[in-house]
Amino acid sequence: MSTFTKLTYHMVFSTKYRRPLIRDDFQHRLYSYIGGIIRSQKGSLIEIGGIEDHIHLLVNLSPVKAISEAIQEIKACSSKWSNEQFELSEKFAWQKGYGVFTVSYSQIESVSRYVQNQVEHHRTKTFEEEYMTFLKLHQISFEPKGLFEGEFCG
């Protein structure tokens, strides 16, 4: 018998301290580069979007690599590339943590639209509010204090 998988994830993570570093002038290239990392992991990028301080990725990933390893590679490689390729106002880095949520096949289109509409969505909601909403929606326990790394609290 052959093995078949379709593992779809919605990933969310922000820049370190939620700094607005993902500017229009390099956003498209950053997104393309991240898509290349995912393809090198034998995955596929369905949708990517975000605003200046965070991104959302809707991806299919291969089961041969743990999700934590896949995200670590995406974040490490894209940070290194960003700092080598662009003159940014400060060093580019991602936050330490991340959110990853499974997506059923029937919800891919809906999540894709959500990722595409990040600019509009964030006219009324901060990243912090959005992130806590996802945790609650997926019934993930968390303490609001210390949830986000701050410049002065580590």
Side-chain angles (χ1 to χ4, degrees), residues 25-40:
D25 53 335
F26 100 102
Q27 181 189 64
H28 178 72
R29 290 185 59 198
L30 174 65
Y31 288 2
S32 294
Y33 190 79
I34 289 172
I37 296 168
I38 293 166
R39 285 188 301 279
S40 76

PDB file of all heavy atoms in Angstrom, residues 25-40:
ATOM      1  N   ASP A  25       8.742  47.743  -0.225  1.00  0.00           N
ATOM      2  CA  ASP A  25       9.894  47.645  -1.109  1.00  0.00           C
ATOM      3  C   ASP A  25      10.572  46.278  -1.082  1.00  0.00           C
ATOM      4  O   ASP A  25      11.281  45.930  -2.008  1.00  0.00           O
ATOM      5  CB  ASP A  25      10.905  48.759  -0.820  1.00  0.00           C
ATOM      6  CG  ASP A  25      11.321  48.830   0.637  1.00  0.00           C
ATOM      7  OD1 ASP A  25      10.558  48.383   1.505  1.00  0.00           O
ATOM      8  OD2 ASP A  25      12.412  49.369   0.915  1.00  0.00           O
ATOM      9  N   PHE A  26      10.364  45.489  -0.034  1.00  0.00           N
ATOM     10  CA  PHE A  26      10.949  44.153  -0.068  1.00  0.00           C
ATOM     11  C   PHE A  26       9.974  43.035   0.274  1.00  0.00           C
ATOM     12  O   PHE A  26      10.308  41.862   0.226  1.00  0.00           O
ATOM     13  CB  PHE A  26      12.235  44.119   0.775  1.00  0.00           C
ATOM     14  CG  PHE A  26      12.120  43.551   2.157  1.00  0.00           C
ATOM     15  CD1 PHE A  26      12.566  42.256   2.423  1.00  0.00           C
ATOM     16  CD2 PHE A  26      11.628  44.298   3.209  1.00  0.00           C
ATOM     17  CE1 PHE A  26      12.506  41.733   3.706  1.00  0.00           C
ATOM     18  CE2 PHE A  26      11.563  43.781   4.487  1.00  0.00           C
ATOM     19  CZ  PHE A  26      12.008  42.488   4.735  1.00  0.00           C
ATOM     20  N   GLN A  27       8.734  43.380   0.547  1.00  0.00           N
ATOM     21  CA  GLN A  27       7.730  42.383   0.913  1.00  0.00           C
ATOM     22  C   GLN A  27       7.581  41.287  -0.150  1.00  0.00           C
ATOM     23  O   GLN A  27       7.619  40.101   0.177  1.00  0.00           O
ATOM     24  CB  GLN A  27       6.384  43.052   1.151  1.00  0.00           C
ATOM     25  CG  GLN A  27       5.290  42.085   1.553  1.00  0.00           C
ATOM     26  CD  GLN A  27       3.942  42.754   1.568  1.00  0.00           C
ATOM     27  OE1 GLN A  27       3.455  43.193   0.531  1.00  0.00           O
ATOM     28  NE2 GLN A  27       3.339  42.851   2.736  1.00  0.00           N
ATOM     29  N   HIS A  28       7.408  41.691  -1.406  1.00  0.00           N
ATOM     30  CA  HIS A  28       7.191  40.709  -2.474  1.00  0.00           C
ATOM     31  C   HIS A  28       8.379  39.748  -2.590  1.00  0.00           C
ATOM     32  O   HIS A  28       8.192  38.538  -2.730  1.00  0.00           O
ATOM     33  CB  HIS A  28       6.936  41.414  -3.809  1.00  0.00           C
ATOM     34  CG  HIS A  28       6.749  40.476  -4.951  1.00  0.00           C
ATOM     35  ND1 HIS A  28       5.603  39.714  -5.094  1.00  0.00           N
ATOM     36  CD2 HIS A  28       7.558  40.133  -5.983  1.00  0.00           C
ATOM     37  CE1 HIS A  28       5.716  38.954  -6.169  1.00  0.00           C
ATOM     38  NE2 HIS A  28       6.901  39.194  -6.726  1.00  0.00           N
ATOM     39  N   ARG A  29       9.573  40.282  -2.523  1.00  0.00           N
ATOM     40  CA  ARG A  29      10.763  39.424  -2.620  1.00  0.00           C
ATOM     41  C   ARG A  29      10.889  38.510  -1.410  1.00  0.00           C
ATOM     42  O   ARG A  29      11.285  37.350  -1.540  1.00  0.00           O
ATOM     43  CB  ARG A  29      12.011  40.277  -2.808  1.00  0.00           C
ATOM     44  CG  ARG A  29      12.012  40.908  -4.209  1.00  0.00           C
ATOM     45  CD  ARG A  29      13.252  41.666  -4.550  1.00  0.00           C
ATOM     46  NE  ARG A  29      14.449  40.840  -4.479  1.00  0.00           N
ATOM     47  CZ  ARG A  29      15.680  41.325  -4.397  1.00  0.00           C
ATOM     48  NH1 ARG A  29      15.871  42.637  -4.388  1.00  0.00           N
ATOM     49  NH2 ARG A  29      16.720  40.528  -4.337  1.00  0.00           N
ATOM     50  N   LEU A  30      10.571  39.012  -0.223  1.00  0.00           N
ATOM     51  CA  LEU A  30      10.595  38.180   0.980  1.00  0.00           C
ATOM     52  C   LEU A  30       9.599  37.035   0.843  1.00  0.00           C
ATOM     53  O   LEU A  30       9.922  35.874   1.121  1.00  0.00           O
ATOM     54  CB  LEU A  30      10.273  39.021   2.222  1.00  0.00           C
ATOM     55  CG  LEU A  30      10.127  38.252   3.540  1.00  0.00           C
ATOM     56  CD1 LEU A  30      11.449  37.616   3.955  1.00  0.00           C
ATOM     57  CD2 LEU A  30       9.604  39.178   4.638  1.00  0.00           C
ATOM     58  N   TYR A  31       8.377  37.347   0.408  1.00  0.00           N
ATOM     59  CA  TYR A  31       7.357  36.319   0.245  1.00  0.00           C
ATOM     60  C   TYR A  31       7.793  35.268  -0.777  1.00  0.00           C
ATOM     61  O   TYR A  31       7.597  34.066  -0.574  1.00  0.00           O
ATOM     62  CB  TYR A  31       6.027  36.950  -0.176  1.00  0.00           C
ATOM     63  CG  TYR A  31       5.311  37.742   0.901  1.00  0.00           C
ATOM     64  CD1 TYR A  31       5.835  37.932   2.175  1.00  0.00           C
ATOM     65  CD2 TYR A  31       4.086  38.324   0.618  1.00  0.00           C
ATOM     66  CE1 TYR A  31       5.158  38.662   3.133  1.00  0.00           C
ATOM     67  CE2 TYR A  31       3.400  39.057   1.577  1.00  0.00           C
ATOM     68  CZ  TYR A  31       3.945  39.228   2.832  1.00  0.00           C
ATOM     69  OH  TYR A  31       3.256  39.948   3.782  1.00  0.00           O
ATOM     70  N   SER A  32       8.393  35.705  -1.865  1.00  0.00           N
ATOM     71  CA  SER A  32       8.886  34.769  -2.882  1.00  0.00           C
ATOM     72  C   SER A  32       9.979  33.882  -2.311  1.00  0.00           C
ATOM     73  O   SER A  32      10.015  32.671  -2.572  1.00  0.00           O
ATOM     74  CB  SER A  32       9.426  35.520  -4.101  1.00  0.00           C
ATOM     75  OG  SER A  32       8.389  36.188  -4.754  1.00  0.00           O
ATOM     76  N   TYR A  33      10.864  34.471  -1.544  1.00  0.00           N
ATOM     77  CA  TYR A  33      11.958  33.702  -0.949  1.00  0.00           C
ATOM     78  C   TYR A  33      11.406  32.651   0.020  1.00  0.00           C
ATOM     79  O   TYR A  33      11.844  31.504   0.021  1.00  0.00           O
ATOM     80  CB  TYR A  33      12.934  34.639  -0.232  1.00  0.00           C
ATOM     81  CG  TYR A  33      14.196  33.939   0.201  1.00  0.00           C
ATOM     82  CD1 TYR A  33      15.221  33.682  -0.707  1.00  0.00           C
ATOM     83  CD2 TYR A  33      14.361  33.505   1.503  1.00  0.00           C
ATOM     84  CE1 TYR A  33      16.369  33.018  -0.329  1.00  0.00           C
ATOM     85  CE2 TYR A  33      15.501  32.847   1.904  1.00  0.00           C
ATOM     86  CZ  TYR A  33      16.505  32.607   0.984  1.00  0.00           C
ATOM     87  OH  TYR A  33      17.643  31.937   1.372  1.00  0.00           O
ATOM     88  N   ILE A  34      10.445  33.031   0.828  1.00  0.00           N
ATOM     89  CA  ILE A  34       9.823  32.083   1.759  1.00  0.00           C
ATOM     90  C   ILE A  34       9.156  30.950   0.982  1.00  0.00           C
ATOM     91  O   ILE A  34       9.242  29.780   1.375  1.00  0.00           O
ATOM     92  CB  ILE A  34       8.837  32.808   2.694  1.00  0.00           C
ATOM     93  CG1 ILE A  34       9.626  33.664   3.692  1.00  0.00           C
ATOM     94  CG2 ILE A  34       7.924  31.819   3.412  1.00  0.00           C
ATOM     95  CD1 ILE A  34       8.776  34.593   4.547  1.00  0.00           C
ATOM     96  N   GLY A  35       8.505  31.263  -0.136  1.00  0.00           N
ATOM     97  CA  GLY A  35       7.916  30.219  -0.978  1.00  0.00           C
ATOM     98  C   GLY A  35       8.973  29.232  -1.455  1.00  0.00           C
ATOM     99  O   GLY A  35       8.741  28.024  -1.491  1.00  0.00           O
ATOM    100  N   GLY A  36      10.159  29.730  -1.796  1.00  0.00           N
ATOM    101  CA  GLY A  36      11.259  28.859  -2.211  1.00  0.00           C
ATOM    102  C   GLY A  36      11.730  27.958  -1.091  1.00  0.00           C
ATOM    103  O   GLY A  36      12.047  26.776  -1.315  1.00  0.00           O
ATOM    104  N   ILE A  37      11.781  28.474   0.123  1.00  0.00           N
ATOM    105  CA  ILE A  37      12.163  27.645   1.274  1.00  0.00           C
ATOM    106  C   ILE A  37      11.163  26.510   1.439  1.00  0.00           C
ATOM    107  O   ILE A  37      11.533  25.353   1.647  1.00  0.00           O
ATOM    108  CB  ILE A  37      12.239  28.492   2.566  1.00  0.00           C
ATOM    109  CG1 ILE A  37      13.331  29.551   2.466  1.00  0.00           C
ATOM    110  CG2 ILE A  37      12.477  27.592   3.783  1.00  0.00           C
ATOM    111  CD1 ILE A  37      13.270  30.611   3.574  1.00  0.00           C
ATOM    112  N   ILE A  38       9.890  26.827   1.353  1.00  0.00           N
ATOM    113  CA  ILE A  38       8.839  25.815   1.517  1.00  0.00           C
ATOM    114  C   ILE A  38       8.926  24.762   0.415  1.00  0.00           C
ATOM    115  O   ILE A  38       8.801  23.573   0.680  1.00  0.00           O
ATOM    116  CB  ILE A  38       7.453  26.488   1.586  1.00  0.00           C
ATOM    117  CG1 ILE A  38       7.356  27.318   2.875  1.00  0.00           C
ATOM    118  CG2 ILE A  38       6.323  25.462   1.492  1.00  0.00           C
ATOM    119  CD1 ILE A  38       6.206  28.288   2.933  1.00  0.00           C
ATOM    120  N   ARG A  39       9.172  25.194  -0.819  1.00  0.00           N
ATOM    121  CA  ARG A  39       9.340  24.223  -1.912  1.00  0.00           C
ATOM    122  C   ARG A  39      10.550  23.317  -1.665  1.00  0.00           C
ATOM    123  O   ARG A  39      10.501  22.119  -1.954  1.00  0.00           O
ATOM    124  CB  ARG A  39       9.459  24.937  -3.258  1.00  0.00           C
ATOM    125  CG  ARG A  39       8.125  25.478  -3.775  1.00  0.00           C
ATOM    126  CD  ARG A  39       8.206  26.005  -5.201  1.00  0.00           C
ATOM    127  NE  ARG A  39       9.173  27.083  -5.364  1.00  0.00           N
ATOM    128  CZ  ARG A  39       8.955  28.367  -5.063  1.00  0.00           C
ATOM    129  NH1 ARG A  39       7.787  28.735  -4.563  1.00  0.00           N
ATOM    130  NH2 ARG A  39       9.897  29.274  -5.268  1.00  0.00           N
ATOM    131  N   SER A  40      11.618  23.868  -1.095  1.00  0.00           N
ATOM    132  CA  SER A  40      12.808  23.053  -0.806  1.00  0.00           C
ATOM    133  C   SER A  40      12.518  22.021   0.279  1.00  0.00           C
ATOM    134  O   SER A  40      13.238  21.028   0.399  1.00  0.00           O
ATOM    135  CB  SER A  40      13.990  23.939  -0.406  1.00  0.00           C
ATOM    136  OG  SER A  40      13.857  24.410   0.926  1.00  0.00           O
TER     137      SER A  40
END
